[in-house]
Amino acid sequence: MVTCVVEPGAILKILAHASKFPSNSVNGALLGSCDGANVEVVDAIPLCHTTLSLAPALEIGLAQVESYAHISGSVQVVGYYQSDARFGPGDLSPLARKIADKVAERQPRAVVLLLDNKRLELFCKAQADVPFDLFTKDGSKGWKRAPEGKPSVVAAEAEAADGAGAARLQLKGGEWKKLREEFFMMFKQLRHRTLHDFEEHLDDVAKDWLNRGFSGAGKFTLPGNAI
Amino acid sequence: MEIELEEVERQLRSAKGVPSADKLIKYLRLVRDLHIRDSPMVARYGNILLRHYKSDLSEDERGRVALERTRGNTTAAIDALRKYLEVFANDKDAWEELAELYLEVLNYRQAAFCYEELIMHAPSNSSFFVRYADILYTLGGTTNYKTARAYYAKAIELTAGGSLRGLFGILACSAHIPDRVSLQDARSRAQIELPEVTAQALLRIYKQHAPDKLPFVEPMLAKLNGQGGMLE
């Protein structure tokens, strides 16, 4: 069973990316490390927000991200995320599968995070816990949602550990509720607008697709929290 | 077809008030297919179409496209937009939208065709060139890589060296093109030099505007210049 543990900072970046371009499909790479059957995602690099189906920007973006990972020595490209523009029920589109396959070529245990718009809406209304779907590659059968059919919510307190699932998604620190508040705070402060993806970098080199100082340095000020 | 044309003409002439849009469109289509140029009737019926129907037709069709798109019915949106473009072939936004729809369903060839139209309409818009090259690159194949490279080069020309997508595009294409070169030939010498010159240009831009990225860009460029494609 694969456990995918994600840092809140990475999730926030994905949410910010999707929020910055609400009417577009967006995608990006996931950075982290693989340890045995487990995948740890520590960062998300936003790549594209227009026409995800064109190879060049995506390839160059992934190449630069890989280069960065290689130089950092501590992370690799361990996955891919996507959020579709359309509001309907989410499934991994054929294009997303193709791109995911490409990523999996380099890292066989790659994971895919799909931001589901309907669940995002529920998440914002505090009616659902996790707006993401985790997909893992099941041998030659392709990408499977985890666990089968159900949204993959497991709190770090490890309740409902159903061994039957093929994979599960965990948030490091375990608190999706806290994450939701941080997301709202970020949104209100309009910080998602300061996130730059690789395509923006292509149009203006000065824009930093690493978004250093985005979720790291910016500790979100929640009432009652010290920075 | 001539008989059809006479029939439609007769119907239009005998129509009371403003003839229906369908008949007008049918007439104009026949006229186009039969290559009839100098007919005062063409001008007259064309005018009626534009004056009376343009707003109805175009808004109606455009509205339909938007609706189908929202519903997730990309195929229906494509059909509606194609019908619209048959009449209003000068609508650049519509061509862009159609290209986007085709790309959504991964129909690269048709998307490429749309961009060809766009480039014809606006030959100084570098982003159309880049997009077209992007599509060709995605389609793949040596001929496409070579054509894409040419279009990226044009985009760089149009932006006086500023188009990053163009510069990266050239490197990416060159990496995929197996060059059989003879150093005697000036043109193939240019082809060998092109990737190097492009890489230099990129490094200069990064040095100036984003020096923090140099540590990752340099190895990437070296790889692109040296070996095969990026994601091999």
Side-chain angles (χ1 to χ4, degrees), chain B residues 136 140-148:
Chain B
L136 289 179
T142 313
T143 324
N144 280 334
Y145 288 130
K146 288 193 170 158
T147 317

Side-chain angles (χ1 to χ4, degrees), chain B:
Chain B
M1 245 193 310
E2 284 87 358
I3 310 172
E4 247 187 290
L5 182 66
E6 276 174 43
E7 172 68 26
V8 175
E9 274 182 11
R10 208 170 40 77
Q11 284 174 356
L12 288 172
R13 257 187 304 235
S14 59
K16 297 198 185 63
V18 182
S20 82
D22 286 339
K23 291 221 186 62
L24 285 171
I25 293 181
K26 188 166 171 201
Y27 175 73
L28 287 173
R29 212 173 276 149
L30 285 169
V31 156
R32 178 192 65 191
D33 291 339
L34 288 170
H35 300 291
I36 297 177
R37 279 176 218 270
D38 300 323
S39 171
M41 284 193 287
V42 176
R44 180 156 162 257
Y45 292 131
N47 264 324
I48 298 179
L49 193 65
L50 285 173
R51 254 184 299 119
H52 286 269
Y53 288 106
K54 176 154 194 192
S55 49
D56 296 346
L57 254 183
S58 57
E59 266 165 35
D60 188 43
E61 289 303 322
R62 286 172 149 197
R64 179 112 52 87
V65 173
L67 184 67
E68 298 290 1
R69 211 172 167 184
T70 326
R71 283 208 196 122
N73 251 333
T74 318
T75 338
I78 290 181
D79 284 333
L81 199 45
R82 283 181 65 137
K83 256 183 38 184
Y84 169 80
L85 279 167
E86 260 179 54
V87 182
F88 298 103
N90 277 331
D91 190 338
K92 285 214 298 280
D93 295 329
W95 281 111
E96 271 193 83
E97 177 96 5
L98 184 59
E100 229 180 280
L101 288 172
Y102 276 129
L103 285 174
E104 250 180 71
V105 295
L106 306 184
N107 188 336
Y108 294 107
R109 276 188 209 287
Q110 290 293 82
F113 174 68
C114 294
Y115 271 100
E116 283 167 16
E117 288 281 326
L118 283 167
I119 291 179
M120 260 201 318
H121 280 125
S124 55
N125 184 330
S126 71
S127 63
F128 291 158
F129 284 85
V130 166
R131 269 298 173 92
Y132 183 59
D134 280 346
I135 298 177
L136 289 179
Y137 180 89
T138 314
L139 275 168
T142 313
T143 324
N144 280 334
Y145 288 130
K146 288 193 170 158
T147 317
R149 185 171 60 181
Y151 275 87
Y152 282 128
K154 184 72 191 185
I156 295 177
E157 201 189 298
L158 287 170
T159 56
S163 166
L164 243 89
R165 292 178 195 251
L167 291 167
F168 275 121
I170 292 211
L171 284 178
C173 290
S174 302
H176 282 279
I177 299 175
D179 270 334
R180 283 167 295 126
V181 288
S182 82
L183 292 167
Q184 322 300 81
D185 180 13
R187 198 147 50 113
S188 31
R189 250 182 292 138
Q191 275 186 25
I192 308 176
E193 289 170 4
L194 186 59
E196 267 182 55
V197 174
T198 317
Q200 295 302 324
L202 273 170
L203 284 172
R204 244 177 308 155
I205 295 183
Y206 269 95
K207 228 172 246 162
Q208 194 180 7
H209 297 284
D212 58 317
K213 299 273 177 346
L214 275 177
F216 347 121
V217 174
E218 276 172 329
M220 188 184 105
L221 291 179
K223 211 157 57 124
L224 276 176
N225 256 336
Q227 301 146 343
M230 287 172 286
L231 289 187
E232 303 245 308

